[in-house]
């Protein structure tokens, strides 16, 4: 099973990918996490990437594809792609790569979230530095991960101005990817404006069809 999870910033791709990873024993490939790990390594490439993603812009297709192919080649598990493809060019290269590696995309799941929900959701979003868990805090006092005690942080690209910019890029570059898959027979839409548990139930149902 190889699944692509799509959706605007804050739609819940990371949360649902983690659930899918655990439930179906998949390899979760979050291109955002791959890029953040490169930044955390302190490499020259990481510094270049930080300059791009902290502003809410997209990393070049060439850079993304080279990073992704390496990861896909090195796993024989089913995959959940989270945050990739984000452009039609990436979708085309992914098709090509999957064919070469004799794998197939099974489903493309679009998680829909009304835009008025996005800024509110993202402003309460925190990620754990240690275990990577994504949480939504209810008070500014929450600074520690309830699961592992790691420090919680706000992503630099999660400020309201950056989120607005990321939404513009989503409309311009990523929504055309929806058209790319819409008539493939693999494309499904899920209502993301529900509890994470209900969204996950709906995704499981769509995968069983
Ligand atoms: P995410 O964690 O998926 O929200 O991604 C965070 C940021 O990483 C995005 O706003 C982009 O700057 C960059 N990024 C993640 N995935 C991609 C991709 N497939 N192509 C280009 N840039 C990406």
């Amino acid at each position: 099973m190889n699944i692509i999870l799509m959706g605007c910033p804050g739609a819940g791709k990371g949360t649902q990918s983690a659930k899918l990873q655990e439930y179906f024993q998949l390899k979760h490939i979050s291109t955002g996490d791959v890029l953040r790990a490169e930044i955390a390594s302190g490499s020259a490439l990481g510094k270049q990437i930080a300059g791009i993603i902290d502003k809410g812009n997209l990393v070049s297709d060439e850079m993304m594809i080279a990073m992704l192919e390496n990861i896909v080649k090195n796993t024989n598990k089913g995959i959940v792609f989270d945050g990739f493809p984000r452009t039609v060019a990436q979708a085309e290269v992914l098709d090509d790569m999957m064919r070469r590696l004799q794998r197939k995309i099974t489903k493309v799941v679009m998680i829909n979230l009304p835009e008025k929900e996005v800024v509110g959701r993202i402003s309460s979003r925190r990620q754990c530095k240690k275990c990577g868990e994504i949480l939504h805090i209810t008070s500014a006092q929450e600074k520690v991960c309830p699961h592992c005690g790691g420090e919680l942080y706000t992503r630099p690209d999660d400020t309201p101005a950056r989120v607005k910019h990321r939404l513009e890029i989503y409309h311009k570059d990523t929504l055309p990817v929806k058209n790319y898959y819409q008539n493939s027979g693999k494309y499904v839409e899920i209502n993301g404006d529900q509890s994470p548990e209900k969204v996950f139930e709906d995704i499981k149902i769509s995968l069983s069809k």
Side-chain angles (χ1 to χ4, degrees):
M1 182 189 296
N2 298 298
I3 306 163
I4 293 173
L5 273 195
M6 291 190 67
C8 65
K13 299 184 294 295
T15 302
Q16 296 303 323
S17 296
K19 288 182 182 296
L20 285 164
Q21 171 185 30
E22 195 185 336
Y23 190 85
F24 292 109
Q25 295 298 299
L26 301 174
K27 167 91 180 156
H28 173 196
I29 303 180
S30 154
T31 43
D33 284 350
V34 171
L35 294 168
R36 285 184 285 275
E38 189 64 46
I39 295 171
S41 78
S43 68
L45 177 63
K47 289 196 174 74
Q48 196 188 332
I49 291 170
I52 300 168
I53 82 172
D54 289 356
K55 291 194 189 84
N57 292 324
L58 292 186
V59 170
S60 75
D61 289 339
E62 293 71 24
M63 199 186 279
M64 273 329 312
I65 287 155
M67 285 180 159
L68 189 85
E69 176 141 6
N70 245 338
I71 303 171
V72 174
K73 263 193 204 154
N74 287 312
T75 185
N76 43 27
K77 281 185 168 184
I79 297 172
V80 51
F81 292 98
D82 162 13
F84 189 96
R86 256 180 161 94
T87 64
V88 171
Q90 290 181 7
E92 288 168 349
V93 175
L94 179 64
D95 271 351
D96 199 54
M97 180 175 88
M98 294 300 267
R99 235 189 322 272
R100 269 190 288 116
L101 301 176
Q102 297 183 333
R103 304 181 74 144
K104 273 202 177 91
I105 298 296
T106 330
K107 274 274 191 285
V108 179
V109 179
M110 166 66 89
I111 307 175
N112 283 326
L113 183 72
E115 270 183 31
K116 60 179 174 48
E117 301 295 328
V118 173
V119 173
R121 247 197 207 193
I122 289 189
S123 62
S124 68
R125 177 160 77 178
R126 300 290 182 277
Q127 191 154 12
C128 173
K129 276 192 178 165
K130 201 166 154 196
C131 71
E133 178 87 15
I134 300 163
L135 302 149
H136 288 274
I137 59 162
T138 49
S139 120
Q141 310 308 318
E142 289 176 52
K143 300 209 183 304
V144 172
C145 174
H147 304 292
C148 74
E151 185 189 340
L152 298 181
Y153 79 105
T154 307
R155 283 171 37 176
D157 56 343
D158 271 357
T159 61
R162 295 281 189 272
V163 172
K164 190 168 167 280
H165 181 58
R166 283 161 63 201
L167 276 172
E168 284 162 9
I169 291 190
Y170 175 75
H171 279 281
K172 180 168 73 69
D173 294 321
T174 308
L175 266 185
V177 178
K178 165 178 165 173
N179 304 336
Y180 181 86
Y181 288 119
Q182 218 159 13
N183 298 318
S184 65
K186 300 172 185 169
Y187 179 84
V188 289
E189 294 198 354
I190 301 290
N191 174 13
D193 197 10
Q194 315 180 81
S195 70
E197 292 71 28
K198 182 71 177 70
V199 174
F200 187 53
E201 281 311 309
D202 287 357
I203 292 178
K204 277 195 294 182
I205 292 167
S206 78
L207 294 178
S208 67
K209 284 183 185 157

